[in-house]
Amino acid sequence: MVSYDKLVDELAQDIREKKIIPFVGAGLSRNLGLPEWEVLMARVAEDLDIDPDILSLHGDFLQIAEYHIICHGGSKNRISKIIDRNLRSIEVDIGASEAHRCLIDMHFPKVYTTNFDEMIEIAFRYHGVPYYPIATLDDILAAPDNMTQIVKFHGTLDLDETLVISETDYHNRLDMEGPLDIKLRADLLGKTVLFLGYSFRDLNIRYMWSKLFKIMQANCKAFMVTMKPNYVFETIYGKKGMKFICLDSDDFCADFTKFMADLRCRVLKE
């Protein structure tokens, strides 16, 4: 087994050489107290006048979202507003999030995220670092090269049509033919992915890895930061090029922040 120090040093070296593209999940913002997906889907169920516990027996989160969309004539506008309202209802002190500061300090040219919240963008603004958000083809075409691109891979709540939120949305994206998929294929050439803020049980990580492996095949490489070891996941995905940096932690917020600070120090050689 490769040691923690050796893996993190390897990752830090790749970051310094601009070989890493981070994919950021909800875990990066967990310390800020944002509602988790289960809570957001409960609000969606309540909007349908259905007990969330009962609705959860009839479908997973993607299916519940799709059911809500169907019940509202195929429009994502209402579910988008529910999620947006609940995410914005929490008062956030972004300046207190060391994890976000560390992400910014490592100067990634591109940051991909599947998050609907805007905590990454807010952190860049708070720290006075320029960035360019990308969610559409027009954004891709207009993107400058002199600032970090924040790619909203599952869309933005400001544009309902960009959202990847339902089971059908996920299936439709598997063909890898959308503008953001084509951009991802180009961005990944010669690069390695770093998964931050995802768990083994997160559908996003399995879905994203299937997409990445489809693109890269034998050249597919990735790092994933995990809280606890999982020999099943590590065996399956380790054979496909994924390396795991396991923190073996029971305190996600504290130890994930420590990891980000440690990684930043190694990247900047502080």
Side-chain angles (χ1 to χ4, degrees):
M1 176 181 285
V2 182
S3 70
Y4 168 89
D5 283 325
K6 186 172 181 179
L7 280 172
V8 179
D9 282 341
E10 178 185 348
L11 173 59
Q13 179 65 30
D14 284 350
I15 293 173
R16 282 195 299 273
E17 295 176 0
K18 306 300 181 186
K19 293 180 179 178
I20 295 292
I21 295 180
F23 259 87
V24 179
L28 183 74
S29 300
R30 186 177 297 179
N31 63 322
L32 295 174
L34 295 182
E36 297 186 3
W37 200 240
E38 183 176 2
V39 174
L40 295 174
M41 286 300 103
R43 302 291 85 79
V44 170
E46 291 167 359
D47 187 63
L48 294 166
D49 294 324
I50 302 175
D51 185 307
D53 292 333
I54 293 176
L55 188 57
S56 67
L57 297 175
H58 293 270
D60 59 28
F61 294 154
L62 294 177
Q63 292 166 335
I64 290 171
E66 184 147 0
Y67 179 66
H68 185 281
I69 292 167
I70 292 171
C71 288
H72 288 86
S75 172
K76 296 178 183 177
N77 183 259
R78 190 174 179 91
I79 192 171
S80 173
K81 282 182 165 51
I82 293 170
I83 294 170
D84 191 38
R85 182 169 62 249
N86 280 272
L87 289 175
R88 294 181 191 276
S89 67
I90 306 299
E91 187 172 335
V92 170
D93 180 8
I94 196 67
S97 176
E98 187 177 358
H100 284 83
R101 175 79 240 197
C102 290
L103 180 73
I104 293 169
D105 286 346
M106 287 185 277
H107 305 294
F108 294 103
K110 297 177 178 69
V111 176
Y112 277 72
T113 180
T114 53
N115 296 345
F116 292 134
D117 67 68
E118 296 183 345
M119 292 302 106
I120 299 174
E121 297 95 309
I122 291 171
F124 270 77
R125 292 198 296 270
Y126 177 87
H127 292 290
V129 179
Y131 71 93
Y132 189 85
I134 294 177
T136 67
L137 175 59
D138 287 343
D139 295 335
I140 295 172
L141 296 175
D145 295 325
N146 60 346
M147 63 183 69
T148 297
Q149 296 176 6
I150 300 177
V151 183
K152 306 288 282 189
F153 199 68
H154 281 179
T156 169
L157 294 169
D158 294 329
L159 294 170
D160 300 342
E161 65 273 17
T162 66
L163 295 178
V164 178
I165 197 172
S166 70
E167 185 172 83
T168 295
D169 292 332
Y170 271 69
H171 290 163
N172 288 343
R173 285 294 293 274
L174 287 175
D175 60 8
M176 293 296 295
E177 294 300 330
L180 293 186
D181 302 310
I182 295 170
K183 174 176 172 55
L184 175 62
R185 290 207 296 267
D187 288 345
L188 278 177
L189 291 174
K191 300 295 192 297
T192 297
V193 176
L194 168 61
F195 288 110
L196 292 169
Y198 293 99
S199 73
F200 287 120
R201 298 187 180 277
D202 194 329
L203 174 63
N204 277 330
I205 193 72
R206 303 196 300 274
Y207 156 78
M208 284 304 309
W209 189 243
S210 69
K211 290 169 72 72
L212 295 175
F213 194 73
K214 181 178 179 181
I215 296 170
M216 305 295 287
Q217 294 295 323
N219 296 317
C220 198
K221 296 187 297 182
F223 290 91
M224 180 177 175
V225 180
T226 65
M227 292 297 109
K228 287 289 186 182
N230 182 314
Y231 65 88
V232 173
F233 192 97
E234 290 171 12
T235 299
I236 293 172
Y237 293 96
K239 282 188 170 292
K240 297 180 179 179
M242 190 179 287
K243 298 179 181 181
F244 299 91
I245 299 173
C246 182
L247 306 184
D248 200 11
S249 168
D250 293 313
D251 187 342
F252 179 93
C253 292
D255 290 330
F256 182 76
T257 298
K258 286 180 183 177
F259 164 77
M260 291 294 287
D262 180 30
L263 180 60
R264 174 180 60 185
C265 286
R266 295 179 194 231
V267 170
L268 303 180
K269 294 187 175 181
E270 294 177 341

